[in-house]
Amino acid sequence: MKILVIGGAGYIGSHVVKALMAAGHTISVFDNLSSGLRQNLFPENEFIYGTILIPSDVDAAFARGFDGFVHLAAFKAAGESMVSPEKYSVNNITGTLNILNSACAHGCKNMVFSSSAAIFGEPEYLPIDEAHPKSPENYYGYTKLSIEEFMDWYGRLRGLRFAALRYFNAAGYDVDGTVSGLEQNPANLLPVIMETACGIRARMKVFGDDYDTPDGTCIRDYVHVSDLADAHVRALEYIAKGGGNLKLNLGSEAGTSVKEMVDAARRITGRPVPADIVARRPGDPAKLVASSALARETLGWSARYSDVGTLVESTWRAYQKNVPSA
């Protein structure tokens, strides 16, 4: 298939592009490089510079003719969304509507969307499955849930076929080292640990060690980015072959605590990784773990690279490649 990957120069997007190429698809990348990197582009793919906020940019891209597309161009910082909701409204909601309108106008109706576990909010039970109540606790999560609802309507009214893939905690880097461009201004745990190991940060913070967990630190479900990329390929091929629309949770189904991740990084990098215990962050649940049973049943997907060792080792290799002090 001929596939347009919107946001394909970003962290997750570049891994998705690589996986789609490996599956034999022809790829064009659409990106404004605001957070994506030219380093993450593959020379054999067409690159279209543009922004989802300019309808004519999006329309010109879809006018080239595609069999399907992947949308990974939403802003994703939950904390920022609570202080700058306008920014998230314009990019995530208006930008996505521009994409949906152009895609349907040009007959490109197979869509994979990078959604988020943030749509669920505080867990009412674990593991979190697709039936779990949706009650976002930040505006970012609300925008993702709204986009899923737009997709439902465009499915009914315009024949859009879609898969919404709800990530839990994306982590790690390409296991063979082909993709290694670092995220810009990362806020997630593993990049923060790596920046501390490299000396970019003098110390890192651990937000609370008095949770009701075995070691007192929060537990999260980390899923390797290469596993996420594999799910995108499977989902796109599934809906293109006539499968029904999908909304799937993607996690490793195994929780890892903050302390376990820091300890693994110290062992693998050989660096001290200084960490200070500070107060809990408001709204941080003690434990978040996904059920990926539906993804396994529907797509035959499982998390193959999401063990702690592979997550840390692959990330450390990327930092060693890019940071002189690593």
Side-chain angles (χ1 to χ4, degrees):
M1 291 188 290
K2 187 179 178 184
I3 308 300
L4 180 66
V5 181
I6 302 170
Y11 166 56
I12 296 176
S14 54
H15 287 84
V16 170
V17 168
K18 183 192 174 198
L20 286 166
M21 291 168 59
H25 301 293
T26 301
I27 309 302
S28 294
V29 171
F30 180 95
D31 206 298
N32 67 359
L33 301 178
S34 61
S35 59
L37 302 171
R38 289 191 180 275
Q39 177 185 351
N40 286 338
L41 297 172
F42 291 84
E44 56 265 53
N45 294 331
E46 178 184 40
F47 174 57
I48 305 167
Y49 181 86
T51 172
I52 62 174
L53 300 185
I54 299 177
S56 59
D57 282 2
V58 183
D59 202 60
F62 277 104
R64 299 171 187 238
F66 295 97
D67 302 305
F69 68 100
V70 182
H71 174 18
L72 305 112
F75 291 150
K76 63 175 185 175
E80 180 187 48
S81 75
M82 297 297 281
V83 296
S84 301
E86 300 85 358
K87 176 180 178 179
Y88 281 69
S89 295
V90 172
N91 186 80
N92 292 10
I93 294 178
T94 305
T96 297
L97 290 174
N98 290 339
I99 291 170
L100 291 175
N101 291 339
S102 289
C104 291
H106 290 282
C108 182
K109 297 186 178 181
N110 295 311
M111 172 185 186
V112 176
F113 171 60
S114 62
S115 190
S116 170
I119 69 169
F120 295 112
E122 182 74 20
E124 295 185 10
Y125 59 82
L126 294 173
I128 296 174
D129 59 17
E130 287 76 8
H132 189 284
K134 284 78 177 171
S135 183
E137 293 193 337
N138 54 65
Y139 192 65
Y140 158 71
Y142 169 77
T143 66
K144 292 284 191 170
L145 183 58
S146 295
I147 291 167
E148 289 194 11
E149 293 172 350
F150 293 143
M151 291 160 62
D152 285 330
W153 278 105
Y154 275 69
R156 291 168 60 182
L157 302 176
R158 289 291 179 263
L160 180 71
R161 305 177 62 81
F162 66 82
L165 304 181
R166 296 158 175 168
Y167 310 163
F168 276 65
N169 292 71
Y173 271 83
D174 180 26
V175 291
D176 64 16
T178 304
V179 179
S180 60
L182 300 182
E183 288 187 89
Q184 301 180 53
N185 303 312
N188 296 332
L189 176 63
L190 194 47
V192 168
I193 291 173
M194 293 293 109
E195 289 190 350
T196 308
C198 292
I200 297 171
R201 299 173 187 246
R203 309 182 68 84
M204 63 171 287
K205 296 177 180 179
V206 175
F207 296 97
D209 65 349
D210 58 350
Y211 286 93
D212 184 18
T213 60
D215 62 25
T217 62
C218 286
I219 291 174
R220 295 292 182 267
D221 190 336
Y222 297 93
V223 58
H224 196 284
V225 65
S226 295
D227 289 329
L228 292 177
D230 174 55
H232 285 72
V233 176
R234 292 172 183 263
L236 188 57
E237 292 177 345
Y238 177 89
I239 60 173
K241 291 175 182 176
N245 293 336
L246 300 173
K247 295 181 180 181
L248 300 175
N249 294 355
L250 299 179
S252 68
E253 302 185 302
T256 302
S257 75
V258 174
K259 185 178 185 301
E260 287 172 329
M261 193 70 83
V262 173
D263 287 345
R266 288 169 175 158
R267 182 179 68 254
I268 289 167
T269 67
R271 305 292 178 86
V273 191
D276 298 322
I277 307 298
V278 299
R280 295 183 183 189
R281 289 181 299 195
D284 264 358
K287 186 175 182 180
L288 286 175
V289 181
S291 168
S292 297
L294 187 58
R296 189 163 50 248
E297 174 187 331
T298 308
L299 301 179
W301 178 84
S302 62
R304 297 180 294 159
Y305 301 112
S306 297
D307 60 282
V308 176
T310 302
L311 290 170
V312 174
E313 288 170 2
S314 61
T315 307
W316 182 235
R317 285 195 297 270
Y319 273 80
Q320 288 178 305
K321 188 172 181 178
N322 287 278
V323 181
S325 58

